[in-house]
């Protein structure tokens, strides 16, 4: 049975209230999850809370090789698991593929690619999984700042319950991943962000709502917004790998992680190699850092405030920071062995 989005929200709210009543929402600070299945088909982190993120589970499974079919099934009202089994070059250049609620879009092996196009989640979209894709090459030659375009890789506005996992983003004109406005319950895991200026932005809102988990991602050859998190309620970053920063001579706008506005950010066991301004915070924001490794870095490493306790939100497994480069190089981006429906 396919539920209307408002019905899904009411059910999630009721489940969250029941969990709080039963004391299930608070975990022991010492609780440590078992070592993860790095190809697990179930969302973790904030995307797993308040009813979870299941995408198109229970809907039809379809395989697409054309833009027309991808657009048709992605925008449909009913749930779909959409297997992308080819390189799809979007027309016109920079075209949006609208993704509606209750969708899983997953690359088949390492063959699924969207070239010069954007996956776009409109306001109110809920319960979307995007996995195992390469999204690339919407950059415009000579237009480094892309101030007159809005060609993102994935863009969402006030969406909720979204899992972005095991994708590769490369050479996008604007943001490779833009999580905008009041989006909530989002997890971004095991992605590879490469060869870009404005990489991964969160916010563009005065509200403080967004709760996001960002883990095991590789930022390489990127310049800024790795990520930039503006007015996030909670931003939990762990086991990420930042290296080979693009344009390291820029004294201001080349940086790693930035806690902005009233964001509460926690960074754990990440690895920064040859990064300028590895992590920084506005005076109005909070940033707690523990266990990370800095190698050949310069500039700001801000830490102030108490932020929040991620283990009071969900269980998770921390890999040692020293193991992060090898793990993230091996497991980030599309994987031939990732289980597909």
């Amino acid at each position: 049975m396919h539920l209307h989005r408002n019905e899904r929200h009411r059910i999630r709210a009721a489940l969250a209230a029941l969990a709080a009543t039963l004391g299930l929402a608070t975990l022991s600070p010492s609780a440590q999850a078992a070592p993860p299945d790095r190809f697990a088909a179930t969302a973790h982190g904030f995307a797993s809370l308040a009813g979870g993120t299941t995408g198109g589970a229970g809907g039809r499974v379809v395989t697409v090789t054309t833009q027309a079919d991808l657009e048709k099934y992605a925008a449909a009202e009913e749930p779909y698991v959409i297997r992308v089994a080819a390189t799809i070059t979007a027309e016109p250049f920079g075209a949006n593929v609208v993704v509606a609620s209750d969708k899983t879009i997953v690359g088949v092996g390492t063959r699924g690619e969207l070239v010069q196009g954007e996956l776009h989640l409109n306001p109110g979209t809920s319960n979307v999984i995007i996995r195992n894709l390469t999204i690339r090459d919407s950059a415009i030659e000579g237009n480094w700042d892309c101030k007159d375009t809005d060609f993102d890789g994935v863009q969402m506005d006030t969406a909720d319950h979204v899992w972005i996992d095991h994708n590769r983003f490369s050479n996008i004109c604007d943001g490779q991943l833009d999580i905008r406005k009041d989006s909530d319950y989002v997890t971004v895991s095991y992605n590879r962000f490469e060869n870009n200026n404005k990489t991964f932005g969160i916010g563009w809102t005065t509200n403080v709502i967004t709760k996001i988990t960002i883990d095991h991602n590789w930022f390489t050859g990127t310049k800024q917004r790795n990520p930039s998190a503006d007015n996030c309620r909670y931003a939990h970053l762990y086991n990420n790998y930042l290296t080979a920063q693009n344009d390291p001579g820029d004294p201001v706008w080349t940086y790693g992680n930035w806690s902005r506005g009233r964001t509460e950010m926690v960074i754990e066991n990440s690895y920064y190699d040859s990064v300028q301004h590895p992590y920084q915070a506005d005076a109005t924001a909070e940033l707690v850092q523990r266990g990370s490794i800095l190698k050949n870095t310069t500039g700001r490493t801000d830490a102030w405030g108490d932020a929040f306790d991620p283990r009071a939100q969900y269980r998770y497994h921390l890999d040692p920071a020293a193991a992060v480069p090898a793990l993230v190089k091996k497991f980030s981006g599309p994987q031939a062995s990732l289980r597909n429906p």
Side-chain angles (χ1 to χ4, degrees):
M1 179 176 65
H2 180 54
L3 298 175
H4 187 272
R5 183 166 59 249
N6 290 338
E7 294 173 319
R8 289 197 307 273
H9 282 307
R10 286 197 293 270
I11 290 171
R12 283 177 175 148
L15 289 171
L18 177 61
T21 300
L22 297 175
L24 299 178
T26 301
L27 303 174
S28 167
S30 62
Q32 168 80 333
D37 174 358
R38 301 185 194 277
F39 303 143
T42 303
H44 61 279
F46 278 114
S48 70
L49 302 183
T53 302
T54 57
R60 285 181 55 200
V61 178
V62 295
T63 300
V64 302
T65 58
T66 67
Q67 180 179 353
D69 282 345
L70 176 60
E71 290 177 336
K72 171 186 173 182
Y73 293 115
E77 290 187 4
E78 61 268 33
Y80 275 102
V81 175
I82 304 165
R83 303 168 78 246
V84 181
T87 296
I88 296 175
T89 301
E91 296 291 348
F93 191 98
N96 286 351
V97 175
V98 174
V99 182
S101 297
D102 304 316
K103 300 296 182 295
T104 296
I105 303 179
V106 58
V108 177
T110 57
R111 289 182 287 152
E113 295 193 326
L114 178 63
V115 179
Q116 69 184 40
E118 172 185 310
L119 296 178
H120 184 88
L121 282 63
N122 286 319
T125 303
S126 179
N127 192 33
V128 171
I129 296 172
I130 299 171
R131 301 188 81 196
N132 219 48
L133 293 173
T134 291
I135 302 174
R136 61 177 174 88
D137 294 335
S138 64
I140 298 173
E141 186 70 27
N143 190 359
W144 178 240
D145 283 332
C146 294
K147 291 185 180 297
D148 54 348
T149 66
D150 193 21
F151 298 158
D152 294 333
V154 174
Q155 183 187 109
M156 65 191 78
D157 279 346
T158 314
D160 70 271
H161 293 88
V162 181
W163 184 25
I164 309 293
D165 179 69
H166 279 100
N167 303 290
R168 180 172 75 93
F169 297 88
S170 182
N171 196 37
I172 304 296
C173 194
D174 194 27
Q176 295 189 330
L177 174 58
D178 275 4
I179 297 174
R180 297 165 26 137
K181 306 296 175 65
D182 298 333
S183 296
D184 202 7
Y185 295 110
V186 179
T187 296
V188 178
S189 55
Y190 292 96
N191 299 284
R192 184 173 298 190
F193 298 92
E194 60 185 37
N195 187 27
N196 218 73
N197 179 10
K198 301 171 183 177
T199 310
F200 176 6
I202 311 162
W204 297 277
T205 177
T206 58
N207 299 319
V208 185
I209 291 173
T210 302
K211 295 177 285 294
I212 185 167
T213 301
I214 302 165
D215 70 279
H216 294 91
N217 300 285
W218 186 6
F219 298 84
T220 180
T222 59
K223 183 176 185 291
Q224 59 179 309
R225 302 183 185 173
N226 296 296
S228 166
D230 184 30
N231 284 329
C232 289
R233 180 68 181 93
Y234 298 140
H236 183 204
L237 287 63
Y238 68 93
N239 288 150
N240 295 296
Y241 181 37
L242 286 76
T243 188
Q245 198 172 45
N246 203 330
D247 193 13
D250 186 330
V252 177
W253 296 110
T254 302
Y255 60 88
N257 312 140
W258 194 342
S259 181
R260 307 180 72 165
R262 290 185 287 159
T263 293
E264 295 183 24
M265 178 180 287
V266 174
I267 300 171
E268 298 183 285
N269 289 25
S270 291
Y271 198 108
Y272 303 82
D273 186 355
S274 303
V275 174
Q276 183 169 250
H277 307 307
Y279 44 87
Q280 59 187 313
D282 290 353
T284 53
E286 299 184 21
L287 191 157
V288 169
Q289 190 289 127
R290 47 183 173 256
S292 299
I293 291 175
L294 280 68
K295 178 182 177 183
N296 299 325
T297 62
T298 60
R300 294 173 63 175
T301 52
D302 302 336
W304 47 68
D306 298 323
F308 68 104
D309 179 8
R311 295 201 188 282
Q313 305 297 318
Y314 49 76
R315 289 185 174 89
Y316 60 100
H317 174 84
L318 274 179
D319 290 307
V324 163
L327 284 171
V328 171
K329 284 180 180 180
K330 180 176 181 180
F331 292 111
S332 66
Q335 305 284 317
S337 54
L338 189 143
R339 293 190 298 273
N340 292 314

